[in-house]
Amino acid sequence: MELAFYASALVALLASLGVVTGTNPVHALLYLIVSLISVALTFFALGAPFAGALQVIVYAGAIMVLFVFVVMMLNLGSDASAQERAWLKPRTWVGPSILAGLLLLALLGTLLRGDVARVIGGTSIDAQAVGGLLFGPWLLVVELAAMLLLAALVTASHLGRDAEPDRASGGES
Amino acid sequence: MSGIPMEHGLMVASALFAIGLAGLMVRRNLMFVLMSLEIMLNAAGLAFIVASTAWAEPHGQVMYLMVITLAAAEASVGLALVLQIYRHFRSLDVDAVSQLRG
């Protein structure tokens, strides 16, 4: 369990670095999928199999398919990769990296000096416990999440419509 | 060695968050900005799961479900916006969209 956790955490960190530093959008997307799946593996290693399965199905499955389709529709190829390489100069990434590194140092220092002293011992929380909570005290939050997803669906279908034909006449459909 | 200290899980989550934040500030391509946002949301979900398993309470996993719902909504709206921006400006540069006018 410990070995699985540390190995998949290492893979997740390296793959996320690959996303952030990559120049080809398709390769960065594949790195992102690897990162999400290895975070799902850390969920399994920590003892949350329901969350791990959801991460694989919803995150690495559904949401990443959206990203892949958009990258395919935008047809981002080698010229996009060349432009990314031109944008990634050291004087653009040094400042933000220093800021993010300082934030990381502050977080790690707080975690190291804090007295948490809790050990995750492999007690697994199954889907039954989570489902019982979802349809018990958290029922209102589930319905709010459904409303949020409905609003996102309406927004995406409104924004995603093809407005090209009547742009020349200045009409707003 | 028995068990994972909770600090280690939270350290992984904060390192993922810092990587995503650095990517969000550095990149100018909107696709990469959205991908960095996904990394940051995923790090928040990992922190929730770590806390949930450390206290052996399923409430953290409920919050993780909310995080995943938010990520799905954000990704769908963000990608629709990216498609419209690409149709309009023929570019994914964030600086091209900085003038609040078409």
Side-chain angles (χ1 to χ4, degrees):
Chain A
M1 176 183 124
E2 291 86 6
L3 183 64
F5 173 77
Y6 290 112
S8 50
L10 185 67
V11 172
L13 289 176
L14 290 180
S16 304
L17 275 178
V19 175
V20 170
T21 59
T23 54
N24 192 326
V26 182
H27 295 177
L29 202 51
L30 294 179
Y31 270 128
L32 182 57
I33 294 176
V34 170
S35 162
L36 293 178
I37 290 179
S38 45
V39 171
L41 273 177
T42 63
F43 289 174
F44 282 117
L46 285 172
F50 181 55
L54 271 183
Q55 169 99 359
V56 171
I57 295 169
V58 178
Y59 232 128
I63 301 181
M64 283 306 116
V65 164
L66 265 183
F67 273 84
V68 169
F69 276 146
V70 168
V71 166
M72 281 161 60
M73 280 176 76
L74 295 182
N75 205 6
L76 300 170
S78 52
D79 46 344
S81 157
Q83 182 161 42
E84 284 302 308
R85 222 171 283 123
W87 277 342
L88 267 185
K89 296 238 175 58
R91 54 181 282 270
T92 54
W93 60 256
V94 161
S97 304
I98 288 174
L99 287 180
L102 281 179
L103 175 70
L104 179 61
L105 278 184
L107 283 171
L108 291 186
T110 321
L111 282 176
L112 281 178
R113 283 191 299 132
D115 191 17
V116 188
R118 268 191 186 271
V119 174
I120 300 168
T123 53
S124 174
I125 302 170
D126 55 350
Q128 190 186 3
V130 184
L133 277 183
L134 274 179
F135 288 95
W138 293 89
L139 186 59
L140 186 65
V141 181
V142 173
E143 299 197 357
L144 286 177
M147 294 298 291
L148 174 69
L149 284 177
L150 179 66
L153 171 71
V154 172
T155 313
S157 79
H158 177 72
L159 284 175
R161 78 202 190 289
D162 199 1
E164 284 293 326
D166 54 359
R167 192 152 59 94
S169 62
E172 199 72 66
S173 63
Chain B
M1 180 168 162
S2 65
I4 304 158
M6 186 190 172
E7 292 95 333
H8 290 182
L10 290 180
M11 278 178 199
V12 174
S14 40
L16 277 177
F17 189 86
I19 289 174
L21 182 65
L24 183 72
M25 292 191 287
V26 169
R27 305 313 292 255
R28 284 173 68 186
N29 192 324
L30 274 170
M31 281 305 293
F32 284 93
V33 170
L34 278 180
M35 286 190 230
S36 307
L37 271 177
E38 293 295 321
I39 293 177
M40 289 167 73
L41 279 173
N42 202 24
L46 176 61
F48 272 121
I49 293 293
V50 166
S52 155
T53 48
W55 272 276
E57 283 277 348
H59 290 273
Q61 301 201 17
V62 176
M63 287 317 292
Y64 167 73
L65 276 178
M66 297 312 131
V67 170
I68 225 177
T69 312
L70 180 70
E74 176 258 344
S76 59
V77 176
L79 287 173
L81 278 172
V82 162
L83 278 181
Q84 282 299 101
I85 286 167
Y86 188 76
R87 265 186 211 146
H88 210 273
F89 294 98
R90 291 280 143 208
S91 152
L92 284 180
D93 189 359
V94 232
D95 290 346
V97 212
S98 65
Q99 292 186 338
L100 275 185
R101 54 185 290 270

